[in-house]
Short mmCIF file of all heavy atoms in Angstrom, two decimals:
data_model
loop_
_atom_site.label_atom_id
_atom_site.label_comp_id
_atom_site.label_asym_id
_atom_site.label_seq_id
_atom_site.Cartn_x
_atom_site.Cartn_y
_atom_site.Cartn_z
N LEU A 20 0.79 -1.17 0.02
CA LEU A 20 0.01 0.04 0.02
C LEU A 20 0.90 1.23 -0.04
O LEU A 20 0.45 2.36 -0.44
CB LEU A 20 -0.89 -0.01 1.31
CG LEU A 20 -1.90 -1.07 1.38
CD1 LEU A 20 -2.59 -1.08 2.71
CD2 LEU A 20 -2.96 -1.12 0.18
N TYR A 21 2.12 1.06 0.42
CA TYR A 21 2.95 2.24 0.78
C TYR A 21 4.08 2.33 -0.34
O TYR A 21 4.55 3.54 -0.57
CB TYR A 21 3.62 2.11 2.16
CG TYR A 21 4.33 3.35 2.68
CD1 TYR A 21 3.42 4.45 3.11
CD2 TYR A 21 5.68 3.42 2.71
CE1 TYR A 21 4.07 5.57 3.64
CE2 TYR A 21 6.28 4.42 3.32
CZ TYR A 21 5.45 5.52 3.79
OH TYR A 21 5.99 6.73 4.28
N GLU A 22 4.40 1.32 -0.94
CA GLU A 22 5.45 1.30 -2.03
C GLU A 22 5.05 0.27 -3.10
O GLU A 22 4.54 -0.70 -2.90
CB GLU A 22 6.83 0.87 -1.37
CG GLU A 22 6.85 -0.50 -0.85
CD GLU A 22 8.14 -0.97 -0.33
OE1 GLU A 22 9.11 -0.32 -0.52
OE2 GLU A 22 8.31 -2.01 0.31
N GLY A 23 5.38 0.87 -4.36
CA GLY A 23 5.02 -0.04 -5.48
C GLY A 23 5.12 0.81 -6.86
O GLY A 23 5.67 1.77 -6.85
N GLU A 24 4.29 0.24 -7.60
CA GLU A 24 4.28 0.85 -9.04
C GLU A 24 3.45 2.15 -9.03
O GLU A 24 2.43 2.24 -8.16
CB GLU A 24 3.78 -0.06 -10.08
CG GLU A 24 3.96 0.36 -11.47
CD GLU A 24 3.61 -0.76 -12.52
OE1 GLU A 24 3.23 -1.76 -12.10
OE2 GLU A 24 3.95 -0.51 -13.61
N GLU A 25 3.69 2.98 -9.96
CA GLU A 25 2.80 4.13 -10.14
C GLU A 25 1.34 3.82 -10.14
O GLU A 25 1.01 2.99 -10.96
CB GLU A 25 3.17 4.80 -11.55
CG GLU A 25 2.27 5.83 -11.96
CD GLU A 25 2.54 6.11 -13.39
OE1 GLU A 25 2.42 5.23 -14.27
OE2 GLU A 25 2.80 7.37 -13.81
N GLY A 26 0.61 4.29 -9.26
CA GLY A 26 -0.90 4.08 -9.21
C GLY A 26 -1.24 2.90 -8.38
O GLY A 26 -2.42 2.71 -7.98
N GLU A 27 -0.31 2.00 -8.06
CA GLU A 27 -0.65 0.80 -7.31
C GLU A 27 -0.69 1.05 -5.72
O GLU A 27 -1.51 0.59 -5.09
CB GLU A 27 0.31 -0.25 -7.56
CG GLU A 27 0.11 -1.10 -8.89
CD GLU A 27 -1.13 -1.91 -8.90
OE1 GLU A 27 -1.35 -2.64 -7.75
OE2 GLU A 27 -1.97 -1.93 -9.69
N ALA A 28 0.37 1.81 -5.27
CA ALA A 28 0.51 1.91 -3.82
C ALA A 28 -0.27 3.16 -3.41
O ALA A 28 0.10 4.39 -3.43
CB ALA A 28 1.93 2.34 -3.54
N ILE A 29 -1.61 2.84 -2.98
CA ILE A 29 -2.52 3.84 -2.74
C ILE A 29 -2.34 4.73 -1.50
O ILE A 29 -2.96 5.79 -1.38
CB ILE A 29 -3.97 3.30 -2.73
CG1 ILE A 29 -4.14 2.16 -1.65
CG2 ILE A 29 -4.35 2.55 -4.09
CD1 ILE A 29 -5.37 1.67 -1.43
N ALA A 30 -1.40 4.24 -0.62
CA ALA A 30 -1.03 5.06 0.60
C ALA A 30 0.13 5.89 0.32
O ALA A 30 0.54 6.63 1.21
CB ALA A 30 -0.82 4.16 1.77
N SER A 31 0.87 5.77 -0.78
CA SER A 31 1.93 6.69 -1.19
C SER A 31 1.53 7.96 -1.80
O SER A 31 0.67 8.12 -2.67
CB SER A 31 2.93 5.83 -2.17
OG SER A 31 3.82 6.72 -2.78
N THR A 32 2.14 9.02 -1.26
CA THR A 32 1.87 10.35 -1.87
C THR A 32 2.91 10.70 -2.97
O THR A 32 2.89 11.81 -3.47
CB THR A 32 1.83 11.46 -0.81
OG1 THR A 32 3.08 11.39 0.03
CG2 THR A 32 0.77 11.23 0.23
N PHE A 33 3.68 9.73 -3.31
CA PHE A 33 4.82 10.03 -4.34
C PHE A 33 4.70 8.90 -5.46
O PHE A 33 5.66 8.48 -5.97
CB PHE A 33 6.21 9.89 -3.68
CG PHE A 33 6.42 10.98 -2.72
CD1 PHE A 33 5.96 10.91 -1.31
CD2 PHE A 33 6.98 12.23 -3.07
CE1 PHE A 33 6.23 11.84 -0.43
CE2 PHE A 33 7.20 13.28 -2.24
CZ PHE A 33 6.75 12.99 -0.96
N LYS A 34 3.42 8.58 -5.80
CA LYS A 34 3.09 7.77 -6.91
C LYS A 34 3.87 6.42 -6.80
O LYS A 34 4.38 5.83 -7.82
CB LYS A 34 3.44 8.40 -8.27
CG LYS A 34 2.58 9.59 -8.58
CD LYS A 34 2.74 10.15 -9.96
CE LYS A 34 1.79 11.17 -10.29
NZ LYS A 34 1.94 11.77 -11.61
N GLY A 35 3.96 5.88 -5.54
CA GLY A 35 4.62 4.55 -5.35
C GLY A 35 5.99 4.60 -4.77
O GLY A 35 6.35 3.63 -4.13
N ASP A 36 6.71 5.70 -4.78
CA ASP A 36 8.07 5.87 -4.30
C ASP A 36 7.86 6.41 -2.89
O ASP A 36 6.83 6.72 -2.44
CB ASP A 36 8.90 6.82 -5.14
CG ASP A 36 9.31 6.39 -6.55
OD1 ASP A 36 9.28 5.17 -6.64
OD2 ASP A 36 9.43 7.17 -7.48
N LYS A 37 8.98 6.35 -2.13
CA LYS A 37 9.08 6.80 -0.81
C LYS A 37 9.85 8.17 -0.74
O LYS A 37 10.98 8.19 -1.49
CB LYS A 37 9.75 5.82 0.09
CG LYS A 37 9.06 4.31 0.12
CD LYS A 37 9.72 3.50 1.13
CE LYS A 37 11.11 3.24 1.06
NZ LYS A 37 11.69 2.28 2.05
N LYS A 38 9.55 8.99 -0.02
CA LYS A 38 10.28 10.31 0.21
C LYS A 38 11.40 10.14 1.13
O LYS A 38 12.41 10.82 1.09
CB LYS A 38 9.42 11.49 0.64
CG LYS A 38 8.88 11.34 2.01
CD LYS A 38 8.10 12.62 2.42
CE LYS A 38 7.63 12.58 3.81
NZ LYS A 38 7.01 13.78 4.35
N ASP A 39 11.26 9.18 2.04
CA ASP A 39 12.37 8.90 3.04
C ASP A 39 12.30 7.49 3.37
O ASP A 39 11.59 6.72 2.78
CB ASP A 39 12.27 9.74 4.34
CG ASP A 39 10.91 9.50 4.98
OD1 ASP A 39 10.52 8.27 5.18
OD2 ASP A 39 10.30 10.49 5.43
N LEU A 40 13.36 7.01 4.10
CA LEU A 40 13.38 5.54 4.48
C LEU A 40 13.04 5.21 5.81
O LEU A 40 13.11 3.96 6.25
CB LEU A 40 14.89 5.25 4.37
CG LEU A 40 15.68 5.64 3.02
CD1 LEU A 40 17.04 5.10 2.97
CD2 LEU A 40 14.94 5.14 1.67
N LYS A 41 12.30 6.04 6.52
CA LYS A 41 11.98 5.86 7.87
C LYS A 41 10.73 4.99 7.93
O LYS A 41 10.03 5.03 7.01
CB LYS A 41 11.71 7.21 8.60
CG LYS A 41 12.89 8.05 8.69
CD LYS A 41 12.49 9.47 9.30
CE LYS A 41 12.02 9.42 10.74
NZ LYS A 41 11.72 10.67 11.22
N LEU A 42 10.57 4.35 9.20
CA LEU A 42 9.22 3.80 9.44
C LEU A 42 8.33 4.88 9.58
O LEU A 42 8.74 6.15 9.88
CB LEU A 42 9.41 3.06 10.85
CG LEU A 42 9.59 1.53 10.95
CD1 LEU A 42 9.60 1.13 12.34
CD2 LEU A 42 8.65 0.76 10.12
N PRO A 43 7.05 4.68 9.34
CA PRO A 43 6.09 5.77 9.71
C PRO A 43 6.29 6.21 11.16
O PRO A 43 6.50 5.53 12.07
CB PRO A 43 4.67 5.04 9.50
CG PRO A 43 4.94 4.01 8.42
CD PRO A 43 6.37 3.54 8.75
N GLU A 44 6.12 7.51 11.32
CA GLU A 44 6.51 8.16 12.63
C GLU A 44 5.65 7.61 13.74
O GLU A 44 6.15 7.37 14.85
CB GLU A 44 6.30 9.67 12.53
CG GLU A 44 6.91 10.45 13.65
CD GLU A 44 8.45 10.47 13.55
OE1 GLU A 44 8.98 10.33 12.40
OE2 GLU A 44 9.12 10.42 14.58
N ASN A 45 4.49 7.26 13.48
CA ASN A 45 3.60 6.72 14.57
C ASN A 45 4.02 5.38 15.06
O ASN A 45 3.96 5.00 16.27
CB ASN A 45 2.14 6.77 14.17
CG ASN A 45 1.86 5.76 12.99
OD1 ASN A 45 2.59 5.78 12.09
ND2 ASN A 45 0.79 5.00 13.01
N GLN A 46 4.68 4.53 14.01
CA GLN A 46 5.28 3.30 14.50
C GLN A 46 6.50 3.46 15.40
O GLN A 46 6.68 2.75 16.33
CB GLN A 46 5.51 2.44 13.31
CG GLN A 46 4.35 2.00 12.51
CD GLN A 46 4.62 1.03 11.35
OE1 GLN A 46 5.50 0.21 11.54
NE2 GLN A 46 3.91 1.11 10.33
N ILE A 47 7.31 4.41 14.95
CA ILE A 47 8.42 4.79 15.85
C ILE A 47 8.11 5.14 17.20
O ILE A 47 8.60 4.59 18.20
CB ILE A 47 9.24 5.93 15.11
CG1 ILE A 47 9.83 5.39 13.76
CG2 ILE A 47 10.51 6.36 15.95
CD1 ILE A 47 10.47 6.50 12.85
N ASN A 48 7.12 6.09 17.23
CA ASN A 48 6.63 6.51 18.56
C ASN A 48 6.11 5.37 19.48
O ASN A 48 6.24 5.48 20.61
CB ASN A 48 5.67 7.65 18.40
CG ASN A 48 6.34 8.94 17.85
OD1 ASN A 48 7.53 9.17 17.97
ND2 ASN A 48 5.43 9.73 17.17
N PHE A 49 5.38 4.47 18.82
CA PHE A 49 4.75 3.41 19.52
C PHE A 49 5.79 2.49 20.13
O PHE A 49 5.81 2.09 21.29
CB PHE A 49 3.85 2.60 18.59
CG PHE A 49 3.16 1.47 19.23
CD1 PHE A 49 1.92 1.75 19.81
CD2 PHE A 49 3.54 0.21 19.16
CE1 PHE A 49 1.28 0.61 20.50
CE2 PHE A 49 2.81 -0.83 19.74
CZ PHE A 49 1.67 -0.53 20.43
N ILE A 50 6.88 2.14 19.32
CA ILE A 50 7.93 1.27 19.78
C ILE A 50 8.61 2.10 21.00
O ILE A 50 8.89 1.45 22.10
CB ILE A 50 8.95 1.03 18.69
CG1 ILE A 50 8.31 0.07 17.70
CG2 ILE A 50 10.20 0.25 19.27
CD1 ILE A 50 7.93 -1.25 18.19
N LYS A 51 8.90 3.27 20.93
CA LYS A 51 9.47 4.01 21.97
C LYS A 51 8.68 4.15 23.19
O LYS A 51 9.17 3.88 24.44
CB LYS A 51 9.75 5.49 21.56
CG LYS A 51 10.94 5.72 20.55
CD LYS A 51 10.97 7.16 20.19
CE LYS A 51 12.25 7.27 19.22
NZ LYS A 51 12.49 8.70 18.81
N LYS A 52 7.33 4.18 22.98
CA LYS A 52 6.45 4.26 24.20
C LYS A 52 6.42 2.93 24.89
O LYS A 52 6.36 2.80 26.09
CB LYS A 52 5.03 4.65 23.81
CG LYS A 52 4.10 4.98 24.91
CD LYS A 52 2.75 5.58 24.29
CE LYS A 52 1.76 5.79 25.35
NZ LYS A 52 0.43 6.34 24.90
N MET A 53 6.36 1.89 24.06
CA MET A 53 6.32 0.50 24.59
C MET A 53 7.65 0.19 25.38
O MET A 53 7.65 -0.41 26.41
CB MET A 53 6.14 -0.50 23.48
CG MET A 53 5.75 -1.89 23.92
SD MET A 53 4.79 -2.80 22.51
CE MET A 53 6.00 -2.50 21.26
N ARG A 54 8.81 0.53 24.74
CA ARG A 54 10.04 0.42 25.50
C ARG A 54 9.98 1.17 26.77
O ARG A 54 10.66 0.70 27.83
CB ARG A 54 11.20 0.93 24.57
CG ARG A 54 12.56 0.71 25.13
CD ARG A 54 13.17 -0.60 25.12
NE ARG A 54 12.67 -1.62 25.77
CZ ARG A 54 12.93 -2.93 25.71
NH1 ARG A 54 13.82 -3.31 24.89
NH2 ARG A 54 12.35 -3.79 26.52
N GLY A 55 9.44 2.34 26.91
CA GLY A 55 9.44 3.17 28.12
C GLY A 55 8.63 2.56 29.16
O GLY A 55 8.86 2.87 30.40
N LYS A 56 7.71 1.68 28.93
CA LYS A 56 6.86 1.01 29.84
C LYS A 56 7.37 -0.35 30.23
O LYS A 56 6.80 -1.04 31.21
CB LYS A 56 5.47 0.87 29.28
CG LYS A 56 4.73 2.25 29.14
CD LYS A 56 3.32 2.05 28.75
CE LYS A 56 2.50 3.39 28.75
NZ LYS A 56 1.13 3.23 28.38
N SER A 57 8.30 -0.94 29.59
CA SER A 57 8.81 -2.25 29.94
C SER A 57 10.20 -2.51 29.48
O SER A 57 10.55 -2.04 28.45
CB SER A 57 7.89 -3.31 29.14
OG SER A 57 8.40 -4.60 29.36
N GLU A 58 10.98 -3.23 30.35
CA GLU A 58 12.35 -3.57 29.97
C GLU A 58 12.31 -5.06 29.57
O GLU A 58 13.49 -5.59 29.43
CB GLU A 58 13.15 -3.35 31.30
CG GLU A 58 13.41 -1.91 31.53
CD GLU A 58 14.03 -1.19 30.44
OE1 GLU A 58 15.04 -1.73 29.71
OE2 GLU A 58 13.68 -0.05 30.09
N LYS A 59 11.19 -5.76 29.32
CA LYS A 59 11.13 -7.11 29.02
C LYS A 59 11.63 -7.29 27.59
O LYS A 59 11.53 -6.24 26.77
CB LYS A 59 9.68 -7.58 29.14
CG LYS A 59 9.12 -7.70 30.61
CD LYS A 59 9.69 -8.83 31.26
CE LYS A 59 8.95 -9.00 32.62
NZ LYS A 59 7.53 -9.42 32.55
N PRO A 60 12.06 -8.37 27.19
CA PRO A 60 12.52 -8.47 25.74
C PRO A 60 11.60 -8.08 24.77
O PRO A 60 10.36 -8.35 24.80
CB PRO A 60 12.82 -9.98 25.61
CG PRO A 60 13.18 -10.36 27.15
CD PRO A 60 12.24 -9.65 27.90
N LEU A 61 12.08 -7.31 23.71
CA LEU A 61 11.25 -6.73 22.62
C LEU A 61 11.88 -7.08 21.34
O LEU A 61 13.14 -6.71 21.02
CB LEU A 61 11.22 -5.28 22.81
CG LEU A 61 10.52 -4.48 21.78
CD1 LEU A 61 8.98 -4.94 21.49
CD2 LEU A 61 10.53 -3.00 22.13
N VAL A 62 11.22 -7.94 20.47
CA VAL A 62 11.67 -8.26 19.19
C VAL A 62 10.95 -7.44 18.18
O VAL A 62 9.65 -7.50 18.07
CB VAL A 62 11.46 -9.86 19.13
CG1 VAL A 62 11.79 -10.24 17.63
CG2 VAL A 62 12.21 -10.59 19.92
N LEU A 63 11.52 -6.79 17.25
CA LEU A 63 11.01 -6.03 16.21
C LEU A 63 11.22 -6.80 14.97
O LEU A 63 12.29 -7.08 14.46
CB LEU A 63 11.83 -4.65 16.16
CG LEU A 63 11.27 -3.70 15.00
CD1 LEU A 63 9.91 -3.35 15.13
CD2 LEU A 63 12.17 -2.50 14.84
#
């Protein structure tokens, strides 16, 4: 949905390409928040 051919990746605002290489910011924030609440093993 995020990367693919022109017109195929419907969640892409760059016609299938990516503007950067990061995870979506909300996923980054979620992992950080989860890590802040627990020191238990976390596999990504």
Side-chain angles (χ1 to χ4, degrees):
L20 299 175
Y21 194 72
E22 61 176 351
E24 191 170 6
E25 171 196 52
E27 281 286 317
I29 59 176
S31 168
T32 56
F33 295 88
K34 295 190 177 179
D36 290 332
K37 303 189 301 184
K38 70 173 182 177
D39 59 45
L40 311 182
K41 298 174 64 177
L42 269 181
E44 197 67 34
N45 62 318
Q46 294 188 34
I47 296 172
N48 294 336
F49 184 83
I50 295 292
K51 288 180 176 179
K52 189 174 180 181
M53 194 157 50
R54 177 85 291 174
K56 292 186 177 182
S57 172
E58 291 300 318
K59 297 284 187 66
L61 175 57
V62 177
L63 176 61

